[in-house]
Each structure stands twice: as C-alpha cells, then as structure tokens.
Amino acid sequence: EVDALVYVLNAGGIPNISGFRISVGTGHLQPIPGSTRPLPAGAMSAPADIHFTPDGRHLLVTEKGAYQIDVFPLGADGRPGDPAMHPSAGNFPFGFVIRDDGTVLVAEELSASVSSYALDEEGRLELVSAHVSNGQAQTRWIALTRNGSMVFVPTTQAGTLSSYAITPGGAIVLRREVAGSLRGG
C-alpha cells in the first residue's frame, strides 16, 4: 500500500501550506509533522492556487496579493524547504497549470492576461511570455488541453472564453480573444 502526498493551501489567518500523506487503501489523511509553512508574503499574500510539479520535487503557489509565484522544494520526507519567490509578469497571478515539460502558464486576473514560464529541475522560473492580454476582464482560471498545445481561460466579468496556443518552447500566442461565450447555454 503506497501513500500519496497531498498539500493544501490555507488562505485564512496567516496563509500557509500544509502537507499530508493519504493512504491509498483507506483514504485516511495523516498530517506530515513540520510541513506547515507560512507563505512568504504573510497576511498580505492572498493565495490563489497550488500544484506539484510533474516530477513531484517542487510545489508552486500563486500569491496574488504579493504578485508572486513561490516555488517550494520538497524533501524526500515530503516536507517543504525554503521557497524561492518569483515576481509575476502580470497583475494578480491567480490559477495556473504546469505542462509535463515544466512550462508554467499563469492566468492573471487584473491584467486579463496569461504569462508563461520555464521551470527548470532546480525549481527556478524563467519568464518566456509576459502578460499576453486577452482583451477581456478578470482572468482567474486556466485549463490546459490534454496534448498541452493550448490553454483556455474563462473571463468571469464578460462571460467569455479566450484561447491561447503554446509553442514547443513554451511561448504563448493569443488565438482568439473570444473563443466562446459562457452565457445563455
């Protein structure tokens, strides 16, 4: 029976991350001692999203209040090390996805844009495409296609869906400002 690693993002009080092991056989959660870590920006962080890297060696968190992306290295015991903080290219980094090749694509709410970053094996982020606007408003969430060649972002204020193509090198290009409507069925 193998245990899986799970992390939660806590926005209340002093925002933090906390790790758990979940028994695949029983579904029971067991806290990992020493895994709770405050986010670097503290009470001002306004965290939005959390994901493991495809290799499971790092944990990424967006802090929209601090306009940054944190990368926590994970030890063999599942506990996080000290995070590296990376400034977001756009305003209010919200939801994000990570391709299998380490490309990180971040939806940026206030700049109504998406940025892409290359994530190396050491957990360093390098900007590839800076805040590519979709001309809409309130871009919060993002979804990656199965083949990793496109992302779609809904815009809550306009009720639309925008699409972006992703190059093999991780650059993004706006395909359609309005690829679909989320209103009226």
PDB file of all heavy atoms in Angstrom, residues 52-66:
ATOM      1  N   PHE A  52       1.704  20.595  -7.589  1.00  0.00           N
ATOM      2  CA  PHE A  52       3.002  19.928  -7.642  1.00  0.00           C
ATOM      3  C   PHE A  52       3.554  20.052  -9.053  1.00  0.00           C
ATOM      4  O   PHE A  52       2.794  20.105 -10.025  1.00  0.00           O
ATOM      5  CB  PHE A  52       2.865  18.427  -7.347  1.00  0.00           C
ATOM      6  CG  PHE A  52       2.537  18.101  -5.930  1.00  0.00           C
ATOM      7  CD1 PHE A  52       1.248  17.753  -5.571  1.00  0.00           C
ATOM      8  CD2 PHE A  52       3.516  18.122  -4.951  1.00  0.00           C
ATOM      9  CE1 PHE A  52       0.930  17.429  -4.268  1.00  0.00           C
ATOM     10  CE2 PHE A  52       3.210  17.812  -3.641  1.00  0.00           C
ATOM     11  CZ  PHE A  52       1.911  17.462  -3.296  1.00  0.00           C
ATOM     12  N   THR A  53       4.877  20.055  -9.174  1.00  0.00           N
ATOM     13  CA  THR A  53       5.494  19.956 -10.494  1.00  0.00           C
ATOM     14  C   THR A  53       5.309  18.521 -10.988  1.00  0.00           C
ATOM     15  O   THR A  53       5.073  17.608 -10.186  1.00  0.00           O
ATOM     16  CB  THR A  53       6.994  20.312 -10.438  1.00  0.00           C
ATOM     17  OG1 THR A  53       7.638  19.463  -9.471  1.00  0.00           O
ATOM     18  CG2 THR A  53       7.204  21.772 -10.083  1.00  0.00           C
ATOM     19  N   PRO A  54       5.399  18.293 -12.298  1.00  0.00           N
ATOM     20  CA  PRO A  54       5.191  16.935 -12.820  1.00  0.00           C
ATOM     21  C   PRO A  54       6.113  15.878 -12.190  1.00  0.00           C
ATOM     22  O   PRO A  54       5.699  14.739 -12.011  1.00  0.00           O
ATOM     23  CB  PRO A  54       5.467  17.083 -14.318  1.00  0.00           C
ATOM     24  CG  PRO A  54       5.099  18.506 -14.612  1.00  0.00           C
ATOM     25  CD  PRO A  54       5.544  19.265 -13.386  1.00  0.00           C
ATOM     26  N   ASP A  55       7.337  16.263 -11.815  1.00  0.00           N
ATOM     27  CA  ASP A  55       8.251  15.290 -11.205  1.00  0.00           C
ATOM     28  C   ASP A  55       8.044  15.154  -9.694  1.00  0.00           C
ATOM     29  O   ASP A  55       8.689  14.336  -9.039  1.00  0.00           O
ATOM     30  CB  ASP A  55       9.705  15.626 -11.519  1.00  0.00           C
ATOM     31  CG  ASP A  55      10.178  16.950 -10.924  1.00  0.00           C
ATOM     32  OD1 ASP A  55       9.447  17.574 -10.115  1.00  0.00           O
ATOM     33  OD2 ASP A  55      11.299  17.374 -11.263  1.00  0.00           O
ATOM     34  N   GLY A  56       7.153  15.971  -9.115  1.00  0.00           N
ATOM     35  CA  GLY A  56       6.855  15.890  -7.689  1.00  0.00           C
ATOM     36  C   GLY A  56       7.917  16.454  -6.760  1.00  0.00           C
ATOM     37  O   GLY A  56       7.817  16.328  -5.545  1.00  0.00           O
ATOM     38  N   ARG A  57       8.931  17.108  -7.320  1.00  0.00           N
ATOM     39  CA  ARG A  57      10.033  17.620  -6.497  1.00  0.00           C
ATOM     40  C   ARG A  57       9.803  19.023  -5.962  1.00  0.00           C
ATOM     41  O   ARG A  57      10.538  19.476  -5.078  1.00  0.00           O
ATOM     42  CB  ARG A  57      11.330  17.581  -7.307  1.00  0.00           C
ATOM     43  CG  ARG A  57      11.773  16.161  -7.620  1.00  0.00           C
ATOM     44  CD  ARG A  57      13.048  16.116  -8.428  1.00  0.00           C
ATOM     45  NE  ARG A  57      14.051  17.009  -7.899  1.00  0.00           N
ATOM     46  CZ  ARG A  57      14.949  17.638  -8.650  1.00  0.00           C
ATOM     47  NH1 ARG A  57      14.962  17.471  -9.964  1.00  0.00           N
ATOM     48  NH2 ARG A  57      15.842  18.425  -8.108  1.00  0.00           N
ATOM     49  N   HIS A  58       8.805  19.736  -6.505  1.00  0.00           N
ATOM     50  CA  HIS A  58       8.524  21.109  -6.086  1.00  0.00           C
ATOM     51  C   HIS A  58       7.027  21.340  -5.971  1.00  0.00           C
ATOM     52  O   HIS A  58       6.231  20.631  -6.591  1.00  0.00           O
ATOM     53  CB  HIS A  58       9.120  22.111  -7.089  1.00  0.00           C
ATOM     54  CG  HIS A  58      10.601  22.052  -7.165  1.00  0.00           C
ATOM     55  ND1 HIS A  58      11.262  21.222  -8.041  1.00  0.00           N
ATOM     56  CD2 HIS A  58      11.557  22.700  -6.468  1.00  0.00           C
ATOM     57  CE1 HIS A  58      12.567  21.378  -7.885  1.00  0.00           C
ATOM     58  NE2 HIS A  58      12.772  22.262  -6.930  1.00  0.00           N
ATOM     59  N   LEU A  59       6.681  22.347  -5.212  1.00  0.00           N
ATOM     60  CA  LEU A  59       5.301  22.757  -5.020  1.00  0.00           C
ATOM     61  C   LEU A  59       5.229  24.240  -5.351  1.00  0.00           C
ATOM     62  O   LEU A  59       6.023  25.028  -4.828  1.00  0.00           O
ATOM     63  CB  LEU A  59       4.920  22.515  -3.558  1.00  0.00           C
ATOM     64  CG  LEU A  59       3.487  22.691  -3.146  1.00  0.00           C
ATOM     65  CD1 LEU A  59       2.614  21.634  -3.814  1.00  0.00           C
ATOM     66  CD2 LEU A  59       3.370  22.546  -1.627  1.00  0.00           C
ATOM     67  N   LEU A  60       4.323  24.632  -6.252  1.00  0.00           N
ATOM     68  CA  LEU A  60       4.173  26.031  -6.651  1.00  0.00           C
ATOM     69  C   LEU A  60       2.901  26.605  -6.059  1.00  0.00           C
ATOM     70  O   LEU A  60       1.883  25.920  -5.978  1.00  0.00           O
ATOM     71  CB  LEU A  60       4.122  26.181  -8.170  1.00  0.00           C
ATOM     72  CG  LEU A  60       5.465  26.233  -8.902  1.00  0.00           C
ATOM     73  CD1 LEU A  60       6.192  24.919  -8.819  1.00  0.00           C
ATOM     74  CD2 LEU A  60       5.257  26.642 -10.339  1.00  0.00           C
ATOM     75  N   VAL A  61       2.969  27.881  -5.657  1.00  0.00           N
ATOM     76  CA  VAL A  61       1.831  28.600  -5.085  1.00  0.00           C
ATOM     77  C   VAL A  61       1.806  29.995  -5.690  1.00  0.00           C
ATOM     78  O   VAL A  61       2.843  30.653  -5.793  1.00  0.00           O
ATOM     79  CB  VAL A  61       1.958  28.724  -3.547  1.00  0.00           C
ATOM     80  CG1 VAL A  61       0.852  29.596  -2.965  1.00  0.00           C
ATOM     81  CG2 VAL A  61       1.975  27.358  -2.887  1.00  0.00           C
ATOM     82  N   THR A  62       0.606  30.453  -6.092  1.00  0.00           N
ATOM     83  CA  THR A  62       0.476  31.844  -6.531  1.00  0.00           C
ATOM     84  C   THR A  62      -0.023  32.681  -5.364  1.00  0.00           C
ATOM     85  O   THR A  62      -0.956  32.303  -4.665  1.00  0.00           O
ATOM     86  CB  THR A  62      -0.504  31.986  -7.720  1.00  0.00           C
ATOM     87  OG1 THR A  62      -1.710  31.286  -7.440  1.00  0.00           O
ATOM     88  CG2 THR A  62       0.111  31.473  -9.008  1.00  0.00           C
ATOM     89  N   GLU A  63       0.664  33.813  -5.143  1.00  0.00           N
ATOM     90  CA  GLU A  63       0.277  34.786  -4.120  1.00  0.00           C
ATOM     91  C   GLU A  63      -0.163  36.046  -4.865  1.00  0.00           C
ATOM     92  O   GLU A  63       0.658  36.886  -5.222  1.00  0.00           O
ATOM     93  CB  GLU A  63       1.448  35.105  -3.199  1.00  0.00           C
ATOM     94  CG  GLU A  63       1.853  33.977  -2.284  1.00  0.00           C
ATOM     95  CD  GLU A  63       2.863  34.437  -1.255  1.00  0.00           C
ATOM     96  OE1 GLU A  63       2.466  35.132  -0.293  1.00  0.00           O
ATOM     97  OE2 GLU A  63       4.053  34.114  -1.428  1.00  0.00           O
ATOM     98  N   LYS A  64      -1.471  36.161  -5.093  1.00  0.00           N
ATOM     99  CA  LYS A  64      -1.964  37.285  -5.894  1.00  0.00           C
ATOM    100  C   LYS A  64      -1.755  38.612  -5.188  1.00  0.00           C
ATOM    101  O   LYS A  64      -1.478  39.615  -5.829  1.00  0.00           O
ATOM    102  CB  LYS A  64      -3.418  37.074  -6.304  1.00  0.00           C
ATOM    103  CG  LYS A  64      -4.365  36.872  -5.171  1.00  0.00           C
ATOM    104  CD  LYS A  64      -5.750  36.457  -5.649  1.00  0.00           C
ATOM    105  CE  LYS A  64      -6.641  36.323  -4.433  1.00  0.00           C
ATOM    106  NZ  LYS A  64      -7.858  35.667  -4.665  1.00  0.00           N
ATOM    107  N   GLY A  65      -1.865  38.667  -3.869  1.00  0.00           N
ATOM    108  CA  GLY A  65      -1.663  39.912  -3.128  1.00  0.00           C
ATOM    109  C   GLY A  65      -0.231  40.406  -3.177  1.00  0.00           C
ATOM    110  O   GLY A  65       0.030  41.600  -3.094  1.00  0.00           O
ATOM    111  N   ALA A  66       0.715  39.487  -3.333  1.00  0.00           N
ATOM    112  CA  ALA A  66       2.135  39.844  -3.398  1.00  0.00           C
ATOM    113  C   ALA A  66       2.648  39.875  -4.832  1.00  0.00           C
ATOM    114  O   ALA A  66       3.820  40.170  -5.059  1.00  0.00           O
ATOM    115  CB  ALA A  66       2.960  38.853  -2.585  1.00  0.00           C
TER     116      ALA A  66
END
